Amino acid sequence: MRPKRGAGLVCAAVSGLALAAAGIAGAGGTARAGVSPLSSVHGGIISTIEGGAGGPGPATSVAVSPCGVHWADGWLYIADGTVVRRVSTATGALTTVAGDNAAGPADDSGAAASSAISGACGTAVDGAGNLVIADGPEVLVVPAKTGTFYGRHMTAGHLYTVAGSAAASRDGGPDGDGGPAAKATLSSATDVSFDRAGNLLIADSGQQEACREVCVPPVGSLVRVVAAKTGTFYGQRMTAGDIYTVAGMQSVGSASDGGPATGSWLGPQIGSVRPDAAGNLVLADGGEADDYAVLAPSVQVVAAATGTFYGISMTAGHIYLVAGNGKAGSGGDGGPATAASLETAASAVPDGSGNLVIGDDGQVRVVAAKTGTFYDQRMTAGDIYAIAGTGQAGYSGDGGPASRARVAAGAVTLDADGNVLVAVGSRVRAVAAKTGTYYGVKMTAGDIYTVAGNGTAFSGNGGPPLRAELDYPSGVSVDPAGDIVFTAVSDASNATVDLIAARSGTLFGRRLTAGRVYVIGGNGIAGFRGENGPARDAEFCVSGPAGVAFDGSGNLVVANACSNQVQLIAVRSGRFYGRDMTAGDVYAIAGDGERGYSGDGGPALNATFDEPSSVAVDRHGNVLITDGAGEGRFVRVIAATTGTFYNRKMTAGHIYTVAGDGKSSFAGDDGDGGPALKAAVIPQAVGTDAAGNLIITDANEHVRLVAARTGTMYGQKMTVGHIYSIAGSGEYGSSGSGGPAGKASFEFLGGVTTDRHGNVVFTDWSAGRVWVLAVSTGTFYGQAMISGHVYVVAGGGGALGDGGSATHALLSFAFAVAVSPTGSLLVTDGNDNRLRAISP
């Protein structure tokens, strides 16, 4: 049993933010297994104040980023990486069946709906009605009823591992063939299904390491089988409960067309594995192109028996190409499938007529198993046809003909009525097979409809924060009243700007209730449209760890990487930054929309930016910006008033570079100790300390400072306008907590701020940690600290850890950090899809 979280913990962590009045205190569920009881907690206490699995409710009101869909027994199952939901075919009502929208290892034998899962995409339902989930290194089962399944006693609604182990070590890929499935290692299970004999089929995708100094050969994907009973399957003698490879090999080799399946090299990414009506295995192979192999996306079949299938003579146990010509693309519709090019081949499933339905990025395509009329088209056996999508990825056409809609097709499945369900970006859409009402939506045959997902990275608008759902929160900021603003970022960096209200009243042009969460800006589409109009109808994309900030007037400043602008959402109607604004509308305050680097010394609106990523506002009201996505990287300032700032004379409304020479470097001389304008910087986020110095987190694994005055600071003699490293050895790693700041190592730094004691607080998002550089000796966040030393104050644990010590908790991609008026640290926990609070 997990210990329940104390009822006052969230309130204690964020007192003064009016969240307790909203019923948030103690409403966040239970702490993870392994969390220390409060009586033994040392350091700050961590709590979730925003985010969770969302729902229950209408499927179209929930934020989803589906990577897998499956239909069984009247339910549409949607796998979203960290959560698996199901939607009623009849009503469209959505409930969560596994996962709590947090990354992390699954809690074997714990309750499925409160367990972390980290890579769930493929799902299937077995003959007993149990839900089976492909979750990276493991295959999990949620039993429909209590009993013995897969050789284990199971409790209904709990979660169990039946193949693979997240804790098992491996060298070079999967192993364990011929032995018990539960003791084997999987490289990355991406899909599961069952054959007619009840055997569990697993698409075990390989691994592709990014090329750094040298390229590492990829590990090929495998198709593996867990035998349901002892017998001969796919040409192999198998023992019940053991695991076997039936297609693919780990080492780099050649793809085979017509040869033994176990001697054919499959690309590192198998999107799906499904049996067809004849028992053959249909594989969607995403392909690979690197220094080791060139393999275009394809659909292949492993023959279960000798015969003719898809117009090809096949031998049992051999593998055959049935779609794809070896070139990536989307051509060839209306001709032979083997002469057509595929874009992604994300998934391939047989329909009720034996045709293969393929999710292929901008289209849903069909390979006809026989000549006839399908999906209102005349088809010839072996040829390929598009049934949805124009070939251009995107989202359009709901309620109209599927062939005219823009889709971004990924996983596909079919329901009992023959409707084709497609995972597309932040939605699940249905291509209606016939006219009727499905998933609570009236449909016309041949048209396309959204059946799940609200199209944004956020759900729960107007409700309690702990009932809301986030997708990759990145930036966070707090105003003096305790209002919390954050960005929820989904595919392609499309963002909503959301706010937890600390007080009731009218802000940003809408009536807010204390303790509730609201969308203030963004329609969920990445882009640049909507300027000078309502912010909620505008398009934003945020790519940095601190893409949003309050200014001194309470307006929201946003770094919009898509529009290459810095924009503002007006808190109230009035005149700001030299122009009249209307409450709730969005305006550019810097950038002309063109991409580049120009305009220094002139009006900010005439400048060009190269994907600005992070913003902050200093005590003078100046807006600080990290700019540059290519080789040139800078920190720039929009002056709020005329004066001298950061050793430069500035004119109100004009823009200036204060750090960076436009040369980014991960090695060599980065200019430390010299003028900041001559230094190479790769800024991730920017802020200021109590003395007005500019603090920069740098991708070179340093925290750096641009001195606002000449003097001794952080134990170093500094010259005004020069740049210095104040934390980090420059070595990649995550070590040195409790020691001198200059000897610590970091992985990839994120957001930065200073707390009310003047300490510098920053995140290492890659390592999942929050660090503090102590500026004075004392006790902070429950730890005794020495001036000039650095300390981990949150992260590094193995479980979510709500209600326990922050240093024992799991933070998965801690992007940004802010400080509440009461001194709590607020951290965006990206992969866990939460906003977390650490008590002071």
Side-chain angles (χ1 to χ4, degrees):
M1 293 291 290
R2 297 188 181 116
K4 288 189 176 181
R5 189 166 71 182
L9 290 178
V10 175
C11 185
V14 289
S15 60
L17 298 181
L19 299 183
I24 293 176
T30 56
R32 294 260 184 242
V35 173
S36 302
L38 294 186
S39 59
S40 62
V41 166
H42 298 284
I45 295 171
I46 194 166
S47 303
T48 293
I49 62 171
E50 167 89 12
T60 51
S61 70
V62 175
V64 299
S65 294
C67 56
V69 287
H70 176 71
W71 188 92
D73 303 329
W75 296 98
L76 172 64
Y77 291 86
I78 303 172
D80 201 356
T82 55
V83 64
V84 177
R85 305 176 174 97
R86 65 181 188 180
V87 180
S88 166
T89 304
T91 66
L94 175 145
T95 53
T96 297
V97 291
D100 60 2
N101 214 17
D107 182 12
D108 190 71
S109 76
S114 58
S115 176
I117 53 179
S118 57
C121 283
T123 58
V125 175
D126 67 17
N130 305 313
L131 174 66
V132 182
I133 305 166
D135 186 27
E138 300 172 292
V139 174
L140 309 171
V141 169
V142 182
K145 58 184 179 182
T146 299
T148 299
F149 309 100
Y150 304 94
R152 296 186 63 176
H153 179 75
M154 299 183 180
T155 301
H158 284 215
L159 194 70
Y160 299 87
T161 300
V162 296
S165 170
S169 62
R170 62 178 183 266
D171 182 13
D175 59 27
D177 268 6
K183 294 183 179 180
T185 58
L186 303 176
S187 186
S188 181
T190 53
D191 193 35
V192 286
S193 59
F194 291 91
D195 65 16
R196 291 180 296 179
N199 301 311
L200 172 62
L201 309 175
I202 305 170
D204 191 6
S205 286
Q207 304 164 328
Q208 174 63 65
E209 297 291 336
C211 291
R212 295 186 178 93
E213 295 179 1
V214 295
C215 285
V216 178
V219 175
S221 296
L222 307 177
V223 177
R224 308 180 80 181
V225 172
V226 180
K229 56 186 176 182
T230 298
T232 299
F233 309 99
Y234 308 100
Q236 297 186 46
R237 185 67 181 170
M238 299 185 182
T239 300
D242 288 358
I243 193 168
Y244 302 85
T245 294
V246 297
M249 58 184 184
Q250 293 179 41
S251 58
V252 175
S254 299
S256 175
D257 184 14
T262 52
S264 180
W265 191 77
L266 304 175
Q269 185 66 37
I270 294 292
S272 65
V273 56
R274 293 286 191 278
D276 66 12
N280 305 306
L281 301 185
V282 179
L283 319 178
D285 188 343
E288 175 59 27
D290 61 14
D291 291 341
Y292 293 91
V294 177
L295 181 64
S298 64
V299 177
Q300 302 180 62
V301 168
V302 179
T306 298
T308 300
F309 310 100
Y310 307 100
I312 300 170
S313 179
M314 299 186 182
T315 300
H318 287 213
I319 191 167
Y320 299 85
L321 181 72
V322 296
N325 64 2
K327 298 178 181 179
S330 58
D333 281 348
T338 52
S341 53
L342 301 178
E343 192 70 50
T344 58
S347 62
V349 298
D351 67 11
S353 300
N355 307 306
L356 299 184
V357 181
I358 304 169
D360 194 34
D361 198 19
Q363 292 179 309
V364 180
R365 306 171 80 180
V366 169
V367 178
K370 56 186 176 183
T371 299
T373 300
F374 310 101
Y375 305 99
D376 293 326
Q377 295 187 49
R378 186 68 182 169
M379 299 186 181
T380 301
D383 286 0
I384 192 169
Y385 303 84
I387 63 167
T390 62
Q392 187 176 13
Y395 172 76
S396 70
D398 246 26
S403 59
R404 298 179 187 175
R406 291 177 63 180
V407 300
V412 294
T413 192
L414 290 100
D415 64 19
D417 295 294
N419 302 308
V420 179
L421 287 306
V422 190
V424 286
S426 54
R427 298 173 175 88
V428 177
R429 303 174 78 183
V431 180
K434 53 188 177 181
T435 299
T437 299
Y438 311 98
Y439 310 97
V441 179
K442 290 183 178 180
M443 300 186 183
T444 300
D447 288 357
I448 192 168
Y449 303 86
T450 294
V451 297
N454 63 6
T456 74
F458 169 79
S459 73
N461 187 29
L466 286 174
R467 288 290 303 277
E469 180 188 8
L470 305 180
D471 189 0
Y472 243 73
S474 57
V476 63
S477 185
V478 186
D479 70 9
D483 301 303
I484 303 170
V485 66
F486 56 93
T487 53
V489 182
S490 187
D491 301 332
S493 299
N494 48 306
T496 57
V497 180
D498 311 307
L499 181 138
I500 304 175
R503 53 212 158 132
S504 296
T506 301
L507 299 170
F508 302 100
R510 63 183 303 180
R511 185 71 182 172
L512 308 180
T513 299
R516 299 273 166 162
V517 63
Y518 300 88
V519 176
I520 299 301
N523 63 5
I525 299 173
F528 52 86
R529 297 176 181 171
E531 187 181 341
N532 302 323
R536 281 180 285 169
D537 297 332
E539 298 173 350
F540 294 96
C541 67
V542 178
S543 61
V548 63
F550 284 102
D551 70 9
S553 300
N555 304 303
L556 294 178
V557 181
V558 184
N560 192 339
C562 283
S563 69
N564 292 302
Q565 292 175 313
V566 177
Q567 298 176 317
L568 178 141
I569 303 174
V571 66
R572 62 180 183 275
S573 297
R575 191 168 182 81
F576 308 103
Y577 301 89
R579 61 188 301 186
D580 292 326
M581 298 186 181
T582 300
D585 285 4
V586 63
Y587 303 87
I589 60 171
D592 64 3
E594 297 296 321
R595 184 172 182 176
Y597 171 73
S598 68
D600 255 26
L605 283 169
N606 294 341
T608 60
F609 291 91
D610 185 5
E611 297 186 14
S613 56
S614 295
V615 291
V617 179
D618 69 16
R619 60 184 177 177
H620 303 289
N622 304 310
V623 178
L624 315 175
I625 309 155
T626 63
D627 182 27
E631 283 300 308
R633 309 288 180 98
F634 308 92
V635 177
R636 305 174 79 178
V637 173
I638 305 169
T641 56
T642 299
T644 299
F645 309 100
Y646 310 107
N647 205 36
R648 295 202 64 176
K649 290 183 178 179
M650 300 185 182
T651 300
H654 287 206
I655 191 167
Y656 303 84
T657 295
V658 294
D661 63 356
K663 299 176 182 177
S664 353
S665 173
F666 280 95
D669 184 12
D670 55 10
D672 261 6
L677 287 170
K678 294 183 178 181
V681 298
I682 312 176
Q684 304 305 297
V686 61
T688 57
D689 67 9
N693 302 304
L694 197 67
I695 307 293
I696 303 167
T697 50
D698 195 300
N700 271 323
E701 288 88 44
H702 289 281
V703 180
R704 305 175 77 182
L705 176 148
V706 179
R709 58 181 175 84
T710 298
T712 299
M713 294 168 284
Y714 300 90
Q716 300 182 51
K717 289 184 178 179
M718 298 185 180
T719 300
V720 62
H722 286 209
I723 192 168
Y724 303 86
S725 175
I726 59 172
S729 64
E731 297 294 324
Y732 181 85
S734 185
S735 65
S737 181
K743 294 184 178 181
S745 63
F746 312 116
E747 291 186 9
F748 211 107
L749 298 177
V752 63
T753 190
T754 51
D755 66 16
R756 57 185 177 177
H757 305 288
N759 302 310
V760 179
V761 184
F762 56 97
T763 69
D764 182 339
W765 64 261
S766 179
R769 288 184 167 142
V770 180
W771 291 77
V772 168
L773 167 57
V775 296
S776 59
T777 297
T779 299
F780 311 104
Y781 310 100
Q783 296 187 49
M785 298 187 182
I786 298 172
S787 176
H789 287 206
V790 288
Y791 301 83
V792 173
V793 296
L800 195 65
D802 275 349
S805 170
T807 54
H808 295 164
L810 173 68
L811 291 173
S812 185
F813 286 14
F815 277 109
V817 61
V819 181
S820 79
T822 59
S824 296
L825 300 182
L826 305 180
V827 184
T828 52
D829 189 357
N831 256 5
D832 288 325
N833 301 304
R834 282 159 166 75
L835 180 61
R836 316 287 294 278
I838 303 160
S839 67

